[in-house]
Amino acid sequence: MKSNIDYLLSIESKGIKLGLERTKSLLRACNNPQLHLPVIQVAGTNGKGSTAAMIANIVKVSGLKSGLFTSPHLVNLNERIRINGKSISNNSINQFIDKYKNDIKSIDSSFFEVITAIAFWYFNSKKVDIAIMETGLGGRLDSVTCCNPILSVITSISMDHMEILGDSINKIAKEKAGIIKKNVPCVMEHNDCDEIFEERAKSLNSKIFYVNSSTYNNFSPSLKGKCHYQNAQLAQLAIETINDTRIHPKHIRSGIESVIWYGRNQILSRNPFVVFDVAHNEAGVTSFLDYFNSIKHNGKKTLIISLQKRKNIIRCIENIKASFDHIVCTETNNIRTMGINDLSEMFNSECEVYTNADNAIKNTLKNINNIDSLGIIGTHHLGGSVKSNFNISFNSI
């Protein structure tokens, strides 16, 4: 008999369904838990997960109960829903599915719609003080947008998911701007699409607060890389904007400097130096390369890369080749993985190929020395292979 977890994973094959009506219908069946939660909604192209994790950790170290909803997961879907860093239990997921399975079927809800509803339901039932909800895709039509947030946060905007969100940065920005709600403040960085966000905010009587980098630059984030200074600035401004008197400046510093967030320039080993990053678009890969190249490397530099279909990093290829001595292309066991033939063609087949990510990592580790360096990048779905080869867990943060 199929378990509730298996059932939930099985409906993932239905793919992405844009629109809010199915989510609203499922939430109504659950007595609209999202309406009883103080939510900070985070959207953007890159950095939204890291920014959300920093905000959640600030709330946690202040002594409050923080809920954190992110996507996708690295190994277990439970990782998407956390309270004070601890993943939701299978028992809680089972409880939800047992109670609302008939509604899920009759509404024909997608995987993401169900997991979002579980997050709202779980956070409400556990009475979290603040729920930090990462938008899955875009914003305007994303399931998370069914909430009534106390604050909207928008991270960096760049080209990704063009087949769904649009083929220009302006079209993508309009989708992200969809999370801005009436009379709800928004925090973000200045970008090339400021006018789009300003127009949306003005029409809804919402105020945008922009990061001032000359003011917000006095922390040392535990997450590595220049991009995480920008994420830390957003997290700080977000907390200052909600003006919760229970959260003090010392909590902001402590939360940013102690946050754990896996798969973001995550150092897995020092000798040899091994770093794992889920960078999967041009902006993300460029950010990873900036970090990797900022470190002194004495030995051979190897990259293992796997991508999902439709991901395009063509403009990064020459920089990747310039940064590494050897490139290994591989596939994950996810149905949307890019085949190694297509991936290796990006590098003009000047790479080693493995059809299995476990073997790619295992064999590469056998063939490098302690002074060498290894980067593992491209998709969250490498998480299982990283876990098995380095004997680590992603369950608690």
Side-chain angles (χ1 to χ4, degrees):
M1 182 177 176
K2 184 181 290 186
S3 72
N4 284 334
I5 302 294
D6 289 336
Y7 166 73
L8 188 52
L9 288 170
S10 73
I11 64 175
E12 189 174 12
S13 63
K14 294 181 179 180
I16 296 167
K17 294 181 177 182
L18 293 179
L20 303 182
E21 288 310 310
R22 285 178 305 276
T23 306
K24 288 179 179 179
S25 295
L26 183 55
L27 289 170
R28 279 195 295 270
C30 308
N31 297 314
N32 286 317
Q34 80 284 3
L35 302 183
H36 309 291
L37 280 172
V39 173
I40 296 175
Q41 184 178 0
V42 184
T45 305
N46 291 305
K48 56 184 183 292
S50 301
T51 302
M54 288 182 186
I55 296 170
N57 200 49
I58 293 168
V59 175
K60 173 186 172 183
V61 300
S62 72
L64 301 176
K65 186 184 287 189
S66 71
L68 176 62
F69 175 68
T70 57
S71 62
H73 56 273
L74 289 166
V75 178
N76 300 311
L77 66 86
N78 312 59
E79 299 164 23
R80 295 174 180 239
I81 303 171
R82 302 176 186 267
I83 292 180
N84 282 353
K86 185 177 180 182
S87 298
I88 187 174
S89 67
N90 285 349
N91 186 56
S92 292
I93 295 174
N94 284 331
Q95 186 181 347
F96 181 92
I97 301 296
D98 284 340
K99 192 169 184 177
Y100 300 110
K101 193 170 189 177
N102 289 337
D103 298 294
I104 294 167
K105 288 182 174 179
S106 65
I107 295 166
D108 194 28
S109 302
S110 71
F111 168 81
F112 189 78
E113 290 163 352
V114 176
I115 202 74
T116 303
I118 293 175
F120 284 132
W121 167 84
Y122 182 63
F123 293 154
N124 184 54
S125 68
K126 298 299 182 182
K127 295 179 170 57
V128 301
D129 292 293
I130 300 176
I132 298 88
M133 305 285 293
E134 179 192 354
T135 309
L137 182 65
R140 183 175 64 92
L141 299 175
D142 185 87
S143 295
V144 174
T145 305
C146 289
C147 69
N148 291 334
I150 59 173
L151 180 72
S152 303
V153 179
I154 298 174
T155 65
S156 64
I157 307 295
S158 58
M159 302 295 284
D160 198 10
H161 297 293
M162 287 87 77
E163 74 282 0
I164 298 171
L165 301 181
D167 58 1
S168 72
I169 197 70
N170 283 356
K171 290 178 181 178
I172 291 172
K174 285 180 180 178
E175 293 297 321
K176 308 289 184 185
I179 75 163
I180 299 175
K181 298 286 184 69
K182 188 173 183 178
N183 297 319
V184 176
C186 174
V187 303
M188 59 184 294
E189 300 172 9
H190 284 290
N191 61 61
D192 293 338
C193 305
D194 279 357
E195 287 184 7
I196 291 171
F197 294 100
E198 291 282 2
E199 182 180 344
R200 167 79 177 177
K202 184 178 180 181
S203 71
L204 295 168
N205 195 36
S206 300
K207 183 172 177 55
I208 295 180
F209 296 88
Y210 291 101
V211 167
N212 182 342
S213 59
S214 64
T215 304
Y216 299 90
N217 59 3
N218 57 342
F219 296 143
S220 298
S222 54
L223 302 181
K224 307 299 181 185
K226 183 171 60 177
C227 64
H228 292 301
Y229 283 91
Q230 299 166 333
N231 298 334
Q233 292 165 2
L234 272 174
Q236 179 181 2
L237 181 56
I239 293 296
E240 291 177 350
T241 302
I242 64 171
N243 195 28
D244 190 319
T245 57
R246 299 170 294 180
I247 306 175
H248 303 295
K250 65 180 181 180
H251 298 139
I252 297 175
R253 175 180 292 278
S254 177
I256 287 171
E257 295 186 347
S258 66
V259 66
I260 296 170
W261 195 230
Y262 302 115
R264 279 74 175 178
N265 291 334
Q266 179 185 355
I267 298 173
L268 302 172
S269 168
R270 295 284 181 181
N271 297 298
F273 178 79
V274 183
V275 58
F276 170 44
D277 194 273
V278 296
H280 53 265
N281 54 36
E282 286 183 358
V285 171
T286 298
S287 178
F288 167 76
L289 292 176
D290 286 345
Y291 168 66
F292 186 85
N293 291 328
S294 71
I295 299 167
K296 182 180 179 181
H297 304 280
N298 293 318
K300 182 180 178 182
K301 296 174 289 184
T302 300
L303 179 73
I304 296 175
I305 183 169
S306 177
L307 291 175
Q308 297 293 84
K309 294 174 184 174
R310 298 194 300 270
K311 296 297 178 183
N312 187 347
I313 59 166
I314 289 296
R315 290 192 292 186
C316 299
I317 296 299
E318 291 306 314
N319 287 337
I320 292 174
K321 290 164 73 172
S323 300
F324 292 92
D325 303 305
H326 183 57
I327 295 165
V328 178
C329 294
T330 189
E331 299 175 4
T332 66
N333 59 6
N334 184 268
I335 59 173
R336 298 185 184 92
T337 192
M338 183 183 290
I340 52 173
N341 291 334
D342 290 336
L343 183 56
S344 63
E345 280 180 13
M346 291 190 189
F347 297 94
N348 297 322
S349 299
E350 298 170 4
C351 56
E352 188 176 2
V353 296
Y354 285 89
T355 56
N356 180 283
D358 281 351
N359 291 337
I361 296 175
K362 186 181 300 181
N363 290 336
T364 301
L365 287 172
K366 286 179 182 177
N367 293 316
I368 61 176
N369 299 314
N370 280 349
I371 63 168
D372 295 335
S373 301
L374 171 64
I376 304 171
I377 71 166
T379 172
H380 286 75
H381 297 291
L382 284 165
S385 299
V386 168
K387 176 187 176 182
S388 61
N389 277 279
F390 292 89
N391 192 29
I392 57 176
S393 171
F394 302 117
N395 287 335
S396 297
I397 55 174

